[in-house]
Amino acid sequence: MSKQQGGQRKGKSSVRGNKKDAKRSFAKGHAPFRKNDTQQNKKPSNPNEIRLNKYVANSGMCSRREADVHIATGLVSVNGKVITEMGYKVKIDDEVRYDGARINPEKKAYVLLNKPKGFATTTSEGKGRTVMDLVANATTSRIKPIGRLGRNSKGLLLFTNDDTIVDKFTNSKNGVPRLFHIELNKNLKLEDLKKIQAGFKVEGKLIAVEEISYIDGASKKEIGLKIKNTGNTIIRTIFDYLKYEVENLDCVAIGHLTKKDIPRGSWKHLTVQELNTLKML
């Protein structure tokens, strides 16, 4: 082998080595150029904000590309203001409406709780033990209770983030019936039971229930009462007016939903069939 050939090989070997070193340097991220000012000064994204088109798409209304079209045509509003700006960002708590209907980017959740006594029906903090403590691990979606049960009341309470279901319960014309097992401090007189059945006025306001009856096999202190109101204030109003004290109040059914297989203090997710039936009420 000649010295010239040997020199050539040595030279090639040196080039390969330089390429290898350069490749290895790039792989470790040691690029031989300086990052530009735009990359260095780029503001971090706010984790509490989301692009409007993604918000709309996550609600299940349409794809993100279709959401851009709907936004551009003025079908989407945020906190009462129509937004047509591409790339607009909203907070998760903002009120976003699509074609007039409020939408939610979270997965819809429907949780049925069998509430025990001693828990307040509120989402506010600083109120002691609340029903939100009992369903804290049920879902990552921000669910809220529909209606109220007093701290010393018990029974079924439905939680959801689905405004359509909430509207169904709070609709003054239709509503969803709830059945209560009530125990009074004394026997309910038949004349008072009939008065409740017929409806009566308290301070000029009509007080009416769906149904009321004595409970078979129990004393006249125990009655079943069905209402469509979302709270239980009307029940207290009825019996305070008629000079009875409510000693025990238990919501035993909401529409077709019952406490079967839900121990006191426990919850369950509604099945598809239960949800579909609820929507048809």
Side-chain angles (χ1 to χ4, degrees):
M1 178 185 298
S2 67
K3 289 183 180 181
Q4 185 177 4
Q5 288 175 321
Q8 288 177 340
R9 288 190 176 181
K10 186 175 181 180
K12 289 182 179 178
S13 176
S14 176
V15 171
R16 287 196 193 99
N18 290 338
K19 288 183 177 180
K20 186 175 181 182
D21 290 341
K23 186 176 182 181
R24 182 165 55 247
S25 178
F26 280 104
K28 290 182 178 179
H30 304 302
F33 57 86
R34 184 179 177 182
K35 292 182 178 179
N36 60 43
D37 292 338
T38 303
Q39 290 174 314
Q40 289 181 336
N41 297 328
K42 187 177 180 180
K43 293 181 180 180
S45 59
N46 187 338
N48 296 319
E49 292 182 339
I50 180 175
R51 289 174 71 95
L52 183 56
N53 61 351
K54 183 178 180 182
Y55 188 110
V56 175
N58 286 357
S59 73
M61 301 299 297
C62 57
S63 68
R64 196 182 297 193
R65 182 173 295 181
E66 290 171 331
D68 284 333
V69 176
H70 297 321
I71 292 169
T73 54
L75 286 176
V76 180
S77 67
V78 179
N79 299 328
K81 180 182 177 181
V82 174
I83 301 296
T84 57
E85 176 189 340
M86 292 296 105
Y88 187 88
K89 290 188 176 182
V90 295
K91 294 181 177 63
I92 200 72
D93 291 326
D94 285 339
E95 180 183 288
V96 179
R97 291 182 177 271
Y98 168 75
D99 200 19
R102 187 167 184 178
I103 58 177
N104 192 317
E106 296 178 321
K107 181 180 179 181
K108 298 291 189 295
Y110 311 87
V111 176
L112 186 63
L113 170 72
N114 187 355
K115 176 189 174 301
K117 287 184 177 181
F119 290 82
T121 304
T122 179
T123 57
S124 302
E125 297 181 357
K127 300 291 185 180
R129 297 190 301 174
T130 75
V131 293
M132 301 310 297
D133 298 324
L134 296 171
V135 298
N137 297 322
T139 177
T140 56
S141 297
R142 294 173 304 161
I143 55 175
K144 294 181 180 180
I146 300 178
R148 297 178 62 84
L149 282 177
R151 187 180 290 274
N152 292 320
S153 300
K154 56 189 179 182
L156 294 178
L157 194 60
L158 183 62
F159 297 72
T160 187
N161 59 345
D162 187 339
D163 289 338
T164 302
I165 295 296
V166 174
D167 290 343
K168 179 176 286 291
F169 274 81
T170 55
N171 186 299
S172 59
K173 277 189 175 182
N174 299 319
V176 175
R178 296 191 300 161
L179 178 63
F180 290 86
H181 179 179
I182 301 171
E183 187 173 350
L184 304 172
N185 65 321
K186 58 185 178 181
N187 290 344
L188 178 65
K189 297 176 182 178
L190 180 60
E191 60 189 82
D192 287 335
L193 183 142
K194 289 182 176 180
K195 186 172 185 177
I196 296 171
Q197 280 180 329
F200 58 93
K201 289 187 176 182
V202 175
E203 298 180 354
K205 184 178 180 180
L206 178 64
I207 304 296
V209 303
E210 298 297 307
E211 297 176 19
I212 184 171
S213 64
Y214 295 116
I215 293 179
D216 293 339
S219 70
K220 295 294 190 291
K221 292 195 301 183
E222 296 184 50
I223 60 170
L225 186 147
K226 184 182 290 186
I227 61 174
K228 285 188 176 179
N229 306 67
T230 54
N232 59 355
T233 304
I234 185 174
I235 297 175
R236 302 289 179 181
T237 300
I238 289 172
F239 293 107
D240 283 349
Y241 181 80
L242 297 174
K243 309 301 181 185
Y244 295 89
E245 293 180 14
V246 176
E247 294 188 338
N248 192 18
L249 184 68
D250 188 356
C251 181
V252 296
I254 298 177
H256 62 293
L257 304 172
T258 68
K259 298 188 294 182
K260 183 181 179 182
D261 300 326
I262 312 178
R264 192 78 70 189
S266 298
W267 53 265
K268 76 164 192 172
H269 291 283
L270 296 191
T271 64
V272 173
Q273 183 176 350
E274 288 171 333
L275 178 59
N276 288 339
T277 302
L278 185 62
K279 289 179 176 179
M280 290 189 292
L281 291 178

